[in-house]
Amino acid sequence: MTERILSVEGMSCGGCESAVVAAIEGIDGVTSARADHEANAVTVELDGTVSDDQLAGAISEAGYELVA
């Protein structure tokens, strides 16, 4: 199991956190995600190979932006 902390721009409330978490948890290989809009951070637990492009795409589709 691998844990990654991502910087995500655009989250401003709990609803934003839920949208980002749902998008990320829909990716095969992601076991869980926790978002914190105040820190602009998402902690992702991975149990497989997930590319940055997959994460960025899911976050973008939810209306937010992964910060490199």
Side-chain angles (χ1 to χ4, degrees):
M1 178 111 36
T2 304
E3 181 177 279
R4 294 183 60 194
I5 299 174
L6 309 173
S7 231
V8 177
E9 285 187 354
M11 295 187 298
S12 61
C13 65
C16 297
E17 293 173 354
S18 296
V20 171
V21 166
I24 291 173
E25 287 182 340
I27 300 171
D28 287 338
V30 173
T31 56
S32 71
R34 294 180 314 278
D36 180 349
H37 72 276
E38 292 179 0
N40 293 319
V42 179
T43 303
V44 182
E45 300 232 351
L46 306 167
D47 191 24
T49 303
V50 178
S51 72
D52 288 342
D53 287 343
Q54 287 174 290
L55 293 168
I59 291 167
S60 178
E61 285 183 24
Y64 305 92
E65 183 179 350
L66 176 64
V67 180

